[in-house]
Amino acid sequence: MNAEQRKAWNEDHKHLTAMILIPNEHKESVSLLLRLRAQLYAAEGEANGPFGYEDLLLKDTREETMRCYPVQSPDTRNSIVWHLWHSARIEDITMNMLVAGTGQVLDTDGMPQELNIRFLHSGNEMTEEEMTELSAEIGIEGLLAYRRAVGRRTNEIITSLEPGQFRQKVDPGRIKAVREQGAVTEKAGWLTDYWSGKTIGGLMLMPATRHNFVHLNKAMRIKSKLQRRR
């Protein structure tokens, strides 16, 4: 995304924010929500598919650039792979456990092995040593497959929602399950407290859209800075 496209995305997101809790606007909200999300993901090999923000991030990006940690960027020290993994983990947890009340995509057979890391939580409050380990060891192909599987599953959840459901508050029992299953660490308990005050529509506005957008922006700035050094 160039600056003009990012500005347009933000304007559309403001429009979504204004209408997502209005039941009579449900159909339009779903349509815009899916369109905003489509702009963030790769085209997944479709010959005439849209060229998404993920495509731009990955285009001509070396593995060493993806894994570089720590980075010297104004708003992050974290690696590109961490930003992709963390945003996918947050989306997986919130959309599946909190919105749909189902198991995570991470629980799919073979997914943890493909990721090749021991971390099963959201990635918040990680130590320097843990960040170094994840950045060096995560399987990049597994990571991209996980991210795209999470994206597809979220779209299924979105299209299954009925008018009025965006207004519903997050079920406290589902928040409890997130804590009990270790999807969020005890040290990052502030995150589940934050989610507890959200509606389903609120989760769509942040983890399912803007959170992903923010981390792609950070990853793109890292890529640009590292490439300028070469």
Side-chain angles (χ1 to χ4, degrees), residues 16-193:
L16 177 65
T17 301
M19 69 179 181
I20 195 168
L21 298 184
I22 303 173
N24 288 343
E25 302 285 354
H26 181 83
K27 185 176 180 180
E28 186 178 351
S29 294
V30 167
S31 177
L32 180 54
L33 182 54
L34 293 174
R35 181 159 59 84
L36 286 169
R37 286 176 46 74
Q39 294 174 52
L40 304 180
Y41 285 87
E44 295 202 70
E46 298 175 24
N48 298 311
F51 196 70
Y53 205 172
E54 181 186 331
D55 290 300
L56 292 172
L57 175 64
L58 299 177
K59 188 177 185 329
D60 300 324
T61 306
R62 296 182 178 183
E63 181 174 341
E64 62 203 61
T65 300
M66 298 275 287
R67 296 187 183 278
C68 182
Y69 176 80
V71 298
Q72 302 303 317
S73 185
D75 55 359
T76 184
R77 286 166 46 84
N78 301 345
S79 62
I80 291 175
V81 290
W82 181 87
H83 285 287
L84 292 174
W85 172 75
H86 167 70
S87 56
R89 287 298 298 123
I90 291 288
E91 185 175 325
D92 194 2
I93 294 164
T94 55
M95 294 298 106
N96 289 289
M97 297 189 74
L98 298 185
V99 176
T102 61
Q104 302 176 69
V105 173
L106 185 67
D107 299 329
T108 305
D109 289 345
M111 191 66 74
Q113 291 74 24
E114 290 180 22
L115 286 168
N116 192 43
I117 51 173
R118 61 187 175 90
F119 308 106
L120 303 178
H121 51 70
S122 68
N124 296 90
E125 306 292 351
M126 292 179 73
T127 66
E128 293 281 334
E129 292 77 13
E130 290 171 335
M131 293 290 298
T132 300
E133 178 185 335
L134 181 143
S135 299
E137 296 186 3
I138 195 167
I140 292 179
E141 288 303 316
L143 167 61
L144 297 179
Y146 173 62
R147 171 178 156 77
R148 292 162 192 172
V150 169
R152 289 191 295 270
R153 172 60 182 150
T154 295
N155 289 346
E156 291 173 358
I157 292 170
I158 290 169
T159 55
S160 73
L161 295 174
E162 299 291 337
Q165 283 190 272
F166 285 137
R167 298 174 62 91
Q168 293 179 2
K169 295 291 294 251
V170 174
D171 184 337
R174 294 179 181 180
I175 292 285
K176 182 180 179 182
V178 167
R179 292 171 175 152
E180 290 178 344
Q181 293 182 32
V184 171
T185 64
E186 186 174 344
K187 189 176 180 180
W190 54 266
L191 184 56
T192 48
D193 291 340

Side-chain angles (χ1 to χ4, degrees), residues 188-205:
W190 54 266
L191 184 56
T192 48
D193 291 340
Y194 169 74
W195 289 336
S196 295
K198 289 292 184 181
T199 60
I200 299 304
L203 292 180
M204 295 298 166
L205 292 171

